[in-house]
Amino acid sequence: MSEPRQRADVGTFEDICDAATRTTGLTDFGFADAPGHEEAFRVLVEDLGSAEAGLTGVGNYFMRSQVKSSLVARLLTQARFTEFPQHADVVIERPIFVLGLPRTGTTALSRLLCADPAHQGLEMWLTEFPQPRPPRETWEDDPIFNAMQAAFREHHITNPEFMGIHYSDATEPEECWRVLRQTGKSLGFESLAHVPAYSRWLATQSWTDAYERHRQNLQLIGLNDQDKRWVLKNPSHLIALDALLEVYPDALVVMTQRDPVTSVASACSLSAEATDGHSTTFVGETLGRDQLGHLTRQWDAFWQAREKADESQFFDVDYRGFVQDPVGTVGAIYDAFGLTWSQAAQDAVRRLDEESRSGPRRPAHQYDLADYGITQDEVRESFAR
């Protein structure tokens, strides 16, 4: 196994922009029309370079690559917006957003909803390289798609424990924080590093501009599939429900719920596994406090926004009931929102449910809250709402 790559520092915002430009040959980031997005990246990069982040050589390389890939995706998207101006006319009607705390079943539920032939999800490779979705039978001919699949295969071999936490490949519907991070506003960055200054800045910002670009990406990617309903999934939508409903006023919101002790412990474990060796500060209790703080803020923000929204746009899913009857849960969602529960949809959902019970997609995740200096009582008190 090759040694992980390292860097002496993350670099400056300008330096990373130059690297993204060299990679793509493109120069228009679209910041002129979105100064808040540029500010977000600047605040993030500065915080990543601080002593508080405590990044190691490996962490510098990894976090720089995270920022660079976000800027590369932004450059590519900006070019596609110009290439396909008709994307702006695409209507997105009653999209389904699946959200909830980590490990509450959001991934499994969203993938079952995406199985319906009448639905479309946001495939991993298209979040990284946005474009109008090509016909599925052509994907293996795309060098970018093949490179991403090869990278996932290698990751699963070298990190088998991570596969049990969150299985991914280039074809899978993925969380749309990968699209949001094009704006520099993403809770994903907070899950990968100790960036308190960025977190404080982000807490004061509106997310509306981030969701406007999110919508543009969906219009672009779904240009060839305009007859299909979108199914999106991202636990961090909790923090920005007000902005989400402003940009998608007819959204259908499915919220999964489970004992928050499990959610917080799992979120800590996932962040620790993903960033092992990346930082001298984002470990143990600091990591635990960060994650508990982020998740409780998301939780409180969601309920404050929901109290002002139309309750008919929401459907709550209890994790235990979902595990006992996944297909029945999906059917109940269709009934609640008046969607067509066709035979084709039922067959596809049942087939995927059966496949998911074994093989690489079968969940296998172990974690202990005590590893992060947090008690169960403390978690339950934080989520008392």
Side-chain angles (χ1 to χ4, degrees), residues 24 26-30 72-85 130 213 220:
T24 62
L26 303 170
T27 59
D28 181 13
F29 290 94
V72 165
R74 186 179 179 96
L75 283 168
L76 293 171
T77 302
Q78 206 66 30
R80 297 293 190 175
F81 287 163
T82 301
E83 183 180 356
F84 300 97
R213 188 174 182 91
L220 174 70

Side-chain angles (χ1 to χ4, degrees), residues 94 113 252 312 314-315 327-342 346:
R94 300 185 79 200
L113 288 165
L252 307 176
S312 68
F314 294 83
F315 185 87
V327 177
T329 299
V330 173
I333 293 170
Y334 277 66
D335 289 343
F337 292 140
L339 308 180
T340 301
W341 188 219
S342 67
Q346 295 178 48

Side-chain angles (χ1 to χ4, degrees), residues 54-293:
L55 295 181
T56 64
V58 174
N60 284 326
Y61 183 88
F62 178 81
M63 291 309 302
R64 176 188 171 89
S65 70
Q66 291 294 307
V67 176
K68 180 187 171 184
S69 66
S70 302
L71 291 170
V72 165
R74 186 179 179 96
L75 283 168
L76 293 171
T77 302
Q78 206 66 30
R80 297 293 190 175
F81 287 163
T82 301
E83 183 180 356
F84 300 97
Q86 64 271 34
H87 82 276
D89 299 323
V90 173
V91 175
I92 298 178
E93 185 175 0
R94 300 185 79 200
I96 299 173
F97 285 84
V98 180
L99 49 81
L101 292 173
R103 310 310 291 183
T104 57
T106 54
T107 298
L109 180 55
S110 64
R111 287 175 177 170
L112 289 178
L113 288 165
C114 285
D116 185 342
H119 290 170
Q120 60 179 314
L122 192 60
E123 293 88 357
M124 170 70 84
W125 79 292
L126 294 176
T127 68
E128 298 286 350
F129 298 93
Q131 59 182 295
R133 185 185 294 106
R136 178 63 183 85
E137 62 271 16
T138 68
W139 291 5
E140 279 73 14
D141 299 327
D142 189 300
I144 293 175
F145 173 83
N146 286 322
M148 288 189 68
Q149 278 292 62
F152 278 119
R153 283 193 294 270
E154 180 179 357
H155 179 70
H156 292 155
I157 292 171
T158 57
N159 301 274
E161 67 286 345
F162 196 87
M163 185 167 62
I165 299 175
H166 185 80
Y167 178 84
S168 295
D169 74 20
T171 68
E172 294 281 353
E174 187 50 51
E175 295 179 350
C176 43
W177 64 263
R178 292 178 178 275
V179 172
L180 286 172
R181 71 177 185 169
Q182 288 186 19
T183 70
K185 296 180 178 180
S186 171
L187 303 189
F189 295 122
E190 295 179 310
S191 296
L192 296 172
H194 180 55
V195 282
Y198 173 73
S199 294
R200 289 192 295 270
W201 177 86
L202 192 59
T204 68
Q205 303 300 304
S206 166
W207 286 76
T208 302
D209 61 344
Y211 279 88
E212 287 172 344
R213 188 174 182 91
H214 179 281
R215 184 185 181 93
Q216 277 188 285
N217 271 271
L218 298 192
Q219 290 175 304
L220 174 70
I221 295 170
L223 183 61
N224 298 329
D225 299 288
Q226 297 184 40
D227 59 329
K228 295 185 177 183
R229 184 189 311 278
W230 275 102
V231 176
L232 292 312
K233 174 256 181 176
N234 190 357
S236 68
H237 288 316
L238 290 168
I239 196 71
L241 179 65
D242 52 352
L244 186 156
L245 292 176
E246 181 178 348
V247 176
Y248 300 100
D250 60 351
L252 307 176
V253 180
V254 179
M255 184 183 186
T256 56
Q257 299 196 43
R258 187 183 187 182
D259 182 352
V261 168
T262 301
S263 296
V264 174
S266 178
C268 291
S269 175
L270 180 60
S271 289
E273 188 67 42
T275 62
D276 185 28
H278 291 189
S279 171
T280 58
T281 58
F282 193 58
V283 293
E285 187 170 353
T286 297
L287 186 155
R289 294 293 161 189
D290 278 1
Q291 294 308 301
L292 179 60

Side-chain angles (χ1 to χ4, degrees), residues 290-308:
D290 278 1
Q291 294 308 301
L292 179 60
H294 298 331
L295 292 172
T296 52
R297 282 193 296 275
Q298 293 172 46
W299 182 257
D300 290 341
F302 170 81
W303 286 106
Q304 290 172 18
R306 180 166 172 173
E307 287 171 354
K308 299 177 289 185

